[in-house]
Amino acid sequence: MINRIFFVLSSLLLSAFAHAATGQSAVDDTTIITDTLATARSAKELCIETCKSEVRITVKRLNGTEDNFYYTATSPGKKWSFDYISSVFKDIQDLEVVEIEGRKVQINFLNAERSANTLSYDIPSPENHETTCYTATRHLDFGITLGKKGKSQWSLVSMGLGLGFVTPLNDVPELDTSMGRSLEFSWLMVLGARWRQGRNSISFGLGIDTKNYLMNNGRYFRKQSDGTIILPSFGDGESEHSSRLYTFSLQIPVLYTLRFGRKNNCGFTLGPIINFNTYGSLNTNYRIGDEKYDITTRRIGQRPVTVDLFGAIHWNSIGIYARYAPLNVLKSKTGLDFQSFSTGIMIML
């Protein structure tokens, strides 16, 4: 009897040891799905910010390079709470960021004292959450790394949101637009590619640009039946008047950027921009007595393709830019020859 009891206990112990040795559970054979988001031999800083609606992870200077890792998991419909917890770790090693079954994000690393750390955070609304995860040199970058070899790296990027003032450069004295009210909106690259090696990079892609030349000197733009554009004066009974010339362009910039400074915070960007001017219009507004008139004229004869020269200086991702269009904005048959110059503020540089 005692021998039988000893045999049963021995069998149970051996079975338990076998399960433990193989890392399997005798109760649950479900496979845990993990997704490794980032790994690095070393990093300058690890910053973690959490609240009920969001988890943010930022890892700076991966493996001694300028690359940073950004991860955000957000619950849709919930606003960021200022009652959040922030943790910062300096000079870490053997970093691994892992997402577990879309419900948790786990961070494994060695701290500055080379002690092992494992941090785990619940992802808000695991069944319905939004996640962004990418590697870039700055947080305002939209970057997806395509390939990397040594210090050379290819990435998909989106860059250059700008708002500025534009003025015509011409010999037509009647064309006296107001630069303070003539605006340019530009998105240099809605989507583009960037090759970077060290502090140097070359970017090219597809973007958009719009220009509004506003004239409020008592004259207005008018297209004649023969396609010419004249600048007559408003009549005596016409008040509250203004007139503008508008252009829209698809653009392909080819830009060189050099970053410098102690942390590469400063930089300049320059290069040509090819414009495909797909739309142009004239718009005039005025009032006669109690009646208000709004007249729009399309097909104004803009040049289909032009080339601009672009330059910007920036600190981090914010800078000022200048843009010069040496070619005439309109075709010669319009009789209105002018180039343009614009300057303003630009982010995401």
Side-chain angles (χ1 to χ4, degrees):
M1 182 67 176
I2 295 176
N3 290 336
R4 289 183 180 179
I5 295 174
F6 178 77
F7 176 77
V8 172
L9 290 176
S10 299
S11 299
L12 291 174
L13 287 173
L14 289 173
S15 178
F17 178 77
H19 283 299
T22 59
Q24 298 177 350
S25 171
V27 178
D28 187 4
D29 292 331
T30 303
T31 301
I32 297 176
I33 301 174
T34 62
D35 183 12
T36 301
L37 306 178
T39 59
R41 297 184 306 274
S42 65
K44 187 67 176 178
E45 180 180 288
L46 166 64
C47 180
I48 307 163
E49 297 175 296
T50 61
C51 69
K52 292 182 179 179
S53 61
E54 197 166 76
V55 176
R56 297 179 184 175
I57 301 171
T58 302
V59 186
K60 296 183 179 180
R61 297 180 65 86
L62 299 169
N63 298 321
T65 69
E66 299 298 321
D67 289 338
N68 302 323
F69 169 75
Y70 301 97
Y71 171 87
T72 304
T74 307
S75 174
K78 293 185 179 181
K79 297 181 178 180
W80 172 260
S81 170
F82 288 97
D83 184 21
Y84 66 90
I85 300 174
S86 178
S87 303
V88 178
F89 303 88
K90 302 282 188 177
D91 299 321
I92 64 173
Q93 290 186 0
D94 296 340
L95 171 74
E96 183 182 45
V97 182
V98 179
E99 194 173 82
I100 303 174
E101 296 190 328
R103 296 182 175 275
K104 291 180 179 292
V105 58
Q106 182 173 297
I107 310 167
N108 306 312
F109 62 97
L110 300 179
N111 62 18
E113 290 74 29
R114 304 302 175 254
S115 298
N117 289 262
T118 297
L119 305 177
S120 180
Y121 301 92
D122 291 331
I123 293 176
S125 303
E127 304 300 331
N128 180 30
H129 68 277
E130 298 173 354
T131 302
T132 59
C133 177
Y134 60 94
T135 300
T137 56
R138 298 175 306 280
H139 187 52
L140 287 179
D141 280 356
F142 163 79
I144 299 176
T145 301
L146 298 177
K148 186 173 182 180
K149 184 177 181 180
K151 294 184 178 181
S152 179
Q153 176 177 306
W154 281 94
S155 303
L156 289 178
V157 296
S158 181
M159 62 180 289
L161 279 174
L163 179 64
F165 303 101
V166 60
T167 187
L169 305 174
N170 61 87
D171 295 325
V172 182
E174 294 85 2
L175 184 57
D176 182 19
T177 64
S178 171
M179 188 174 184
R181 298 175 64 187
S182 299
L183 299 178
E184 175 185 50
F185 170 76
S186 181
W187 190 347
L188 280 180
M189 294 183 201
V190 178
L191 184 62
R194 177 177 62 201
W195 172 81
R196 180 166 61 86
Q197 184 169 22
R199 298 184 176 189
N200 303 278
S201 64
I202 297 176
S203 306
F204 57 90
L206 180 64
I208 59 174
D209 182 79
T210 66
K211 292 183 176 70
N212 251 311
Y213 304 89
L214 180 66
M215 188 164 57
N216 59 355
N217 61 350
R219 296 180 179 272
Y220 64 97
F221 297 100
R222 188 171 77 186
K223 179 183 175 182
Q224 302 281 75
S225 59
D226 61 357
T228 60
I229 296 176
I230 61 175
L231 306 173
S233 299
F234 283 100
D236 293 337
E238 298 170 344
S239 61
E240 300 180 14
H241 43 64
S242 66
S243 187
R244 64 112 176 107
L245 186 152
Y246 172 83
T247 61
F248 174 85
S249 306
L250 296 174
Q251 59 186 11
I252 299 178
V254 181
L255 304 175
Y256 166 75
T257 298
L258 172 65
R259 304 196 70 86
F260 55 90
R262 183 171 175 269
K263 295 184 178 180
N264 289 343
N265 287 333
C266 302
F268 66 82
T269 298
L270 53 87
I273 299 176
I274 303 171
N275 304 293
F276 298 92
N277 306 305
T278 59
Y279 179 82
S281 67
L282 307 174
N283 181 259
T284 299
N285 294 274
Y286 60 92
R287 181 185 294 275
I288 300 178
D290 293 333
E291 298 291 333
K292 188 172 182 180
Y293 297 86
D294 187 338
I295 303 172
T296 299
T297 304
R298 297 178 177 84
R299 298 179 181 177
I300 62 174
Q302 71 275 9
R303 292 175 68 98
V305 181
T306 56
V307 178
D308 296 351
L309 302 177
F310 175 87
I313 56 175
H314 37 92
W315 182 80
N316 282 338
S317 298
I318 303 174
I320 57 175
Y321 77 92
R323 182 168 178 163
Y324 170 56
L327 300 178
N328 287 336
V329 174
L330 303 178
K331 296 178 181 178
S332 57
K333 69 177 184 179
T334 64
L336 192 62
D337 298 332
F338 69 94
Q339 302 84 45
S340 72
F341 176 79
S342 56
T343 184
I345 298 174
M346 186 166 282
I347 62 174
M348 294 173 61
L349 283 170

